[in-house]
Amino acid sequence: MIRYIYGRDLGTHPRLRDGMFRDRAAQFVRRLGWDLPLTPDGREIDAYDGLDPLYVIWETPGGDHGGSMRLLPTLGPTMVNDYFTHLTDGVRIESPLIWECTRFCLSETADPRVAAALMLAGGEVLEHFGVAHFVGVFDARMVRIYRRIGASPEVLGSAGRGRAAISVGLWSFETEARARVATRAGIAPETSRRWFDAAFGTPPRRTETAHVSRQANRNSQLPREITAAVSVPVA
Amino acid sequence: MNYVSSITPIGKMLTGLESADSHATLQAVSEDLRTDLDVSHVVYHWVSGSGDQYGCGTYDPAWVERYMEKGYLRIDPVVLGCFQSFHPVDWKQLDWTSRAARAFLADAVAHGVGNQGFSVPIRGPNGQFALFTINHFCDDEVWARFTGDRRRDLILLANAFNQKALELQPGRRPQEAAALSPREVEALTLLALGHNRAQVADTLSISEHTLRVYIESARHKLGAINTTHAVARALQRGAIVL
């Protein structure tokens, strides 16, 4: 399942926390060869982890870290503004409606659907927290993964070539993209919503949603879970 | 690009906030905002890294006094649930199950605090933390509709309040106008010259998505409500010259 955990609460999930920092070391340092410092016990932790970010984590049925990403508001320090403005034409991307998404990481044994599940969770954040876009830095080798899950970012700028290319990208989930990602993840939007509510509580929702959803189902050839996603009101 | 819906009175509010030069004006803006949004209350509250507090809003002073006297800060689920976070919160999402929380809510409602609320927490510089809240008496359906339609407006208002409160902090040096990058200046200049988005993106050799983000960044730095307002403010500040 998807967990949403602020940095300050990671201590209550030691297994997920340690798995995440170890899997980040495995992915970014060992597999992608990024020059990042590791702690003596082999975990990849940087300064932004100290800023109490919001982590989105895939917890495997066995209770282990399966993949994760890290969210921070762009009004505070962000990697994109601190290190990568040469990829954004010198523009500091700052807005209460744009969050930074970094350290998109998958464990080596992760089910291929985990990446899509994380993106689906990102869509929940965009919809329910009034966020318009995620901005983030990514490696050329992630391009294929993003494409496969149906969540390719808009590239704002790139440096380097081929496998060494690094880009700043922008995600803004339109509804149809979310439906596509939900299908790739094999997770019903209702389930995704339930995990989100488990973390943040259930707000009052418009009852008309269910009505629209029924109508959409009647008029559409699409599988039920997809039409349900389409009918979710986008804030 | 209009993240802010044009039918809302929010533009007027942001403009009022922008010219606020004292806490009294900030208070007046919160009162106007209550009227324009047609809600029970608007409240802004901040705590600095060193523990100083400031607040303004429309609560009955008797409630504010009672809140302090009873030490409600320690049991208020809104404060406990939002502190140090950066995602907006509907009050129904919070944990009101404890006996103390339920008693607090009953007392609050008796003092005119709405049964519905929406709070936007903000992490400011140097450990500053602020909370901007709208609350109201209505059923869930009406409230879900209101917060669904206005979520982004409320987030922008919360940030505008906080920016202004930071500016009004005693001893703070007058803030230099947030510098626009050359790319943001180019984009706004071309828009000011009447080019449409597609033309501007084409001229700058960037995608319309990228342009959108650059304009959104510039909008925020200029404290503007939308693209048109951002262009006007940039001209007024001399940030762009035609």
Side-chain angles (χ1 to χ4, degrees):
Chain A
M1 72 175 289
I2 289 286
R3 298 253 190 198
Y4 302 80
I5 307 171
Y6 271 100
R8 59 179 180 272
D9 299 325
L10 276 180
T12 56
H13 304 273
R15 207 162 145 196
L16 289 178
R17 176 197 61 199
D18 296 344
M20 174 171 72
F21 291 135
R22 292 217 166 83
D23 285 342
R24 274 170 38 173
Q27 170 167 325
F28 295 109
V29 179
R30 288 199 284 283
R31 297 209 296 277
L32 297 180
W34 290 15
D35 182 20
L36 302 172
L38 296 183
T39 61
D41 60 351
R43 299 189 295 170
E44 190 275 306
I45 300 176
D46 71 9
Y48 300 94
D49 292 305
L51 300 177
D52 193 11
L54 178 61
Y55 296 97
V56 178
I57 301 177
W58 174 261
E59 182 179 12
T60 67
D64 287 314
H65 173 261
S68 54
M69 58 190 186
R70 180 177 70 183
L71 305 177
L72 276 168
T74 57
L75 295 186
T78 58
M79 285 178 67
V80 166
N81 289 333
D82 291 347
Y83 296 106
F84 294 96
T85 50
H86 58 289
L87 301 185
T88 59
D89 282 342
V91 175
R92 288 181 62 81
I93 295 171
E94 296 173 352
S95 162
L97 304 180
I98 304 176
W99 289 9
E100 184 179 63
C101 174
T102 52
R103 294 292 192 263
F104 189 96
C105 160
L106 300 170
S107 86
E108 283 172 281
T109 55
D111 184 294
R113 287 175 302 182
V114 170
L118 289 170
M119 280 294 169
L120 189 61
E124 300 288 349
V125 168
L126 292 181
E127 181 185 343
H128 301 297
F129 292 163
V131 180
H133 310 281
F134 292 132
V135 64
V137 182
F138 62 95
D139 186 282
R141 281 159 284 193
M142 288 304 292
V143 171
R144 193 172 44 85
I145 292 176
Y146 291 138
R147 193 185 308 128
R148 200 172 60 213
I149 60 180
S152 291
E154 181 76 21
V155 175
L156 299 189
S158 297
R161 307 179 71 117
R163 281 160 63 88
I166 250 194
S167 305
V168 170
L170 184 77
W171 287 263
S172 25
F173 266 132
E174 308 306 337
T175 328
E176 63 272 28
R178 286 187 60 187
R180 211 159 54 224
V181 171
T183 312
R184 298 278 203 288
I187 294 167
E190 296 78 18
T191 306
S192 170
R193 168 74 57 91
R194 199 171 65 243
W195 292 336
F196 187 81
D197 287 351
F200 299 110
T202 307
R205 294 210 168 94
R206 302 180 202 207
T207 50
E208 71 191 309
T209 308
H211 173 69
V212 175
S213 171
R214 276 197 302 276
Q215 232 173 17
N217 285 336
R218 219 175 24 242
N219 300 336
S220 169
Q221 302 296 312
L222 292 171
R224 194 173 170 282
E225 62 273 18
I226 295 177
T227 52
V230 172
S231 70
V232 169
V234 176
Chain B
M1 176 63 220
N2 277 316
Y3 288 122
V4 179
S5 46
S6 53
I7 49 160
T8 68
I10 195 175
K12 192 178 111 202
M13 284 305 114
L14 288 178
T15 310
L17 269 176
E18 181 198 308
S19 55
D21 54 3
S22 67
H23 285 152
T25 331
L26 216 48
Q27 173 65 27
V29 171
S30 70
E31 289 165 16
D32 287 350
L33 188 57
R34 164 167 75 167
T35 310
D36 285 357
L37 289 175
D38 194 19
V39 292
S40 300
H41 289 291
V42 171
V43 184
Y44 168 81
H45 182 213
W46 93 334
V47 183
S48 76
S50 52
D52 297 327
Q53 295 193 42
Y54 163 73
C56 69
T58 60
Y59 282 157
D60 182 346
W63 168 241
V64 176
E65 201 175 310
R66 185 164 174 84
Y67 191 99
M68 304 297 241
E69 176 199 309
K70 288 276 203 175
Y72 279 151
L73 198 62
R74 284 175 285 118
I75 53 168
D76 182 348
V78 179
V79 172
L80 299 181
C82 292
F83 189 59
Q84 292 177 344
S85 297
F86 51 82
H87 67 275
V89 171
D90 190 287
W91 287 7
K92 288 267 161 81
Q93 291 178 288
L94 299 166
D95 183 4
W96 299 88
T97 53
S98 80
R99 185 191 294 257
R102 286 201 311 272
F104 163 73
L105 182 63
D107 200 10
V109 169
H111 283 84
V113 178
N115 65 321
Q116 303 280 4
F118 185 82
S119 295
V120 181
I122 300 168
R123 287 183 185 175
N126 309 316
Q128 186 247 4
F129 177 78
L131 203 52
F132 176 82
T133 291
I134 299 280
N135 71 67
H136 196 51
F137 281 102
C138 63
D139 64 28
D140 282 1
E141 179 71 23
V142 169
W143 189 245
R145 195 177 295 273
F146 176 82
T147 54
D149 291 343
R150 299 292 182 82
R151 189 171 292 134
R152 284 185 184 161
D153 291 358
L154 296 173
I155 291 169
L156 293 180
L157 275 169
N159 281 276
F161 258 90
N162 199 52
Q163 230 164 340
K164 185 47 77 173
L166 285 168
E167 274 173 47
L168 294 176
Q169 213 184 348
R172 185 184 160 89
R173 283 170 306 171
Q175 200 190 17
E176 67 278 22
L180 295 179
S181 72
R183 229 28 180 168
E184 287 165 313
V185 170
E186 284 176 314
L188 291 180
T189 306
L190 290 166
L191 288 170
L193 288 169
H195 296 287
N196 65 32
R197 264 160 228 287
Q199 291 166 329
V200 175
D202 194 45
T203 307
L204 299 179
S205 306
I206 55 178
S207 73
E208 283 194 57
H209 278 94
T210 305
L211 177 67
R212 197 165 171 231
V213 168
Y214 290 178
I215 295 172
E216 168 56 15
S217 260
R219 183 205 61 73
H220 171 71
K221 287 168 199 162
L222 292 162
I225 52 165
N226 56 29
T227 308
T228 311
H229 189 209
V231 169
R233 298 218 63 201
L235 280 165
Q236 178 197 334
R237 284 192 185 179
I240 61 174
V241 180
L242 299 186

